[in-house]
Amino acid sequence: QKEVEQNSGPLSVPEGAIASLNCTYSDRGSQSFFWYRQYSGKSPELIMFIYSNGDKEDGRFTAQLNKASQYVSLLIRDSQPSDSATYLCAGGVLKPTFGTGTRLTIIP
Amino acid sequence: DVKVTQSSRYLVKRTGEKVFLECVQDMDHENMFWYRQDPGLGLRLIYFSYDVKMKEKGDIPEGYSVSREKKERFSLILESASTNQTSMYLCASGGTGINTEAFFGQGTRLTVV
């Protein structure tokens, strides 16, 4: 079993709608989780991190962590075409382990 | 701004060559990482280092080695390049602590012919 698993997608969402990205992890020792956005041909860049159970909001982005279910999610509200990218979930103890990513396309 | 700089953006090497990929960070981070990224496989950790002269194997270390002689520099070495090592290589650095994120370099697209 992979340490971090994501829905591979691709995911298409109309502009203005909510995009929901999901991730599960296997190592209960993992404390922090990160969501990265990667545009085509570019390096990943961090958009959110979360380490406490519950929700964390930053602008249009909300990260959710449920340690009992070993589940992490990212919600993007009011989706914009500029949100079209691959989203990577990462977690792990000592070293970030990445999921395979979910390609998100926002349809104008 | 944190800066992680990789020595080359594109590299073409021949099978059997010894290849060096260099990475330098300017944030005094303890941790540095080398990943490769392939379509459908995501980012896979090759090696990481949490201190000078320290190294740990990641998930796919075979065919690679690393060197960290100075805190700011982490080198990835392909001892004898093979075509299955054609990939995008990403270096990252990060500090210690629960919230530590990884900052990525711009990547090196390596093609082995």
Side-chain angles (χ1 to χ4, degrees):
Chain A
Q1 182 189 3
K2 282 190 152 192
E3 286 187 39
V4 176
E5 299 216 34
Q6 289 183 251
N7 294 342
S8 57
L11 180 65
S12 294
V13 173
E15 184 175 355
I18 296 175
S20 177
L21 303 159
N22 304 311
C23 175
T24 57
Y25 62 94
S26 59
D27 188 346
R28 286 193 174 272
S30 299
Q31 295 181 309
S32 299
F33 299 89
F34 306 87
W35 282 101
Y36 287 81
R37 177 177 61 202
Q38 186 175 26
Y39 291 116
S40 182
K42 301 292 187 182
S43 299
E45 55 178 342
L46 183 77
I47 49 174
M48 292 282 291
F49 72 85
I50 186 167
Y51 60 90
S52 297
N53 265 332
D55 296 359
K56 179 181 179 183
E57 191 173 315
D58 184 0
R60 296 186 296 110
F61 298 94
T62 299
Q64 299 173 316
L65 174 59
N66 183 324
K67 290 189 177 182
S69 301
Q70 295 177 250
Y71 179 90
V72 190
S73 65
L74 179 70
L75 301 178
I76 306 174
R77 290 183 301 282
D78 188 24
S79 298
Q80 302 295 310
S82 60
D83 295 326
S84 297
T86 296
Y87 289 80
L88 301 165
C89 172
V93 181
L94 294 181
K95 52 180 171 61
T97 299
F98 287 80
T100 52
T102 300
R103 181 175 292 180
L104 173 66
T105 300
I106 307 302
I107 304 166
Chain B
D1 265 0
V2 174
K3 205 164 196 181
V4 179
T5 304
Q6 295 183 228
S7 53
S8 303
R9 187 76 177 93
Y10 298 96
L11 214 51
V12 179
K13 295 291 181 181
R14 295 195 179 277
T15 301
E17 274 193 79
K18 191 168 186 175
V19 181
F20 294 85
L21 302 182
E22 307 285 345
C23 175
V24 177
Q25 52 100 357
D26 66 359
M27 280 301 292
D28 201 34
H29 283 157
E30 290 82 4
N31 299 333
M32 296 189 75
F33 311 89
W34 275 107
Y35 292 89
R36 65 177 280 178
Q37 187 172 32
D38 301 287
L41 298 176
L43 279 160
R44 292 181 292 166
L45 183 64
I46 305 171
Y47 268 96
F48 68 103
S49 168
Y50 52 86
D51 202 352
V52 176
K53 297 193 186 292
M54 305 298 287
K55 60 185 179 183
E56 293 285 340
K57 291 180 180 179
D59 300 317
I60 52 163
E62 298 78 20
Y64 303 94
S65 62
V66 290
S67 172
R68 194 168 182 197
E69 296 296 319
K70 294 185 178 181
K71 191 174 186 180
E72 67 271 18
R73 188 180 296 270
F74 192 35
S75 302
L76 179 70
I77 303 154
L78 286 66
E79 297 290 343
S80 177
S82 64
T83 54
N84 62 14
Q85 292 178 309
T86 292
S87 185
M88 171 67 83
Y89 289 87
L90 288 159
C91 174
S93 76
T96 55
I98 193 170
N99 298 335
T100 299
E101 65 174 285
F103 295 89
F104 285 87
Q106 77 276 28
T108 297
R109 171 73 66 184
L110 172 67
T111 302
V112 182
V113 297

